[in-house]
């Protein structure tokens, strides 16, 4: 029932920045953790960043110091600020609403391409 709509993807040069947004159709951040995943062609989907309902954040090692996950509860929106982008960051990025032992919700994905 929850819908997640992403925006902010696009084409950037190496070293550039993008901010992805994921807007939820209802207020869920008090009970769901929010994740950003990404999937490159021919590779498995991988977890990039998480923000829990209490506001704790975590990141995969390859993006630490470059990416920041945040949320705006009033706007029902979670963000992924991506700085110092590298070609290996190229992927479809998905937001995910996550609860233990409960089926979550996925956005449609947004393409991020890092290329000169």
């Amino acid at each position: 029932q929850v819908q997640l709509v992403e925006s902010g993807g696009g084409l950037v040069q190496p070293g550039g920045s993008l901010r992805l947004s994921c807007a939820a159709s209802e207020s869920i951040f008090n009970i769901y953790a929010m994740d950003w995943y990404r999937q490159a062609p021919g590779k498995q989907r991988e977890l990039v960043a998480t923000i829990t309902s209490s506001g704790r954040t975590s990141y995969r090692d390859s993006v630490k110091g470059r990416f920041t996950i945040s949320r705006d509860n009033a706007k029902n929106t979670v963000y992924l600020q991506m700085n110092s982008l590298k070609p290996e960051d190229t992927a479809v990025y998905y937001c995910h609403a996550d609860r233990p032992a409960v089926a979550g919700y996925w956005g449609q994905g947004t393409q991020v391409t890092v290329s000169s």
Side-chain angles (χ1 to χ4, degrees), residues 53-100:
S53 59
S54 64
R56 291 187 295 106
T57 60
S58 60
Y59 304 88
R60 72 181 300 109
D61 286 344
S62 62
V63 307
K64 285 182 178 178
R66 300 190 297 121
F67 290 10
T68 303
I69 188 170
S70 62
R71 69 185 184 205
D72 186 331
N73 290 359
K75 296 181 179 179
N76 297 325
T77 300
V78 63
Y79 304 95
L80 185 67
Q81 178 67 47
M82 304 186 294
N83 299 327
S84 302
L85 283 162
K86 304 174 180 179
E88 52 262 45
D89 296 318
T90 295
V92 177
Y93 283 71
Y94 300 90
C95 58
H96 178 238
D98 185 15
R99 291 183 67 188

Side-chain angles (χ1 to χ4, degrees), residues 21-51:
S21 299
C22 177
S25 60
E26 58 192 81
S27 181
I28 61 171
F29 299 155
N30 61 321
I31 56 173
Y32 282 84
M34 296 298 298
D35 308 314
W36 285 97
Y37 284 78
R38 67 187 182 188
Q39 188 167 26
K43 295 187 176 181
Q44 288 197 326
R45 190 178 302 172
E46 62 184 21
L47 178 63
V48 176
T50 295
I51 184 166

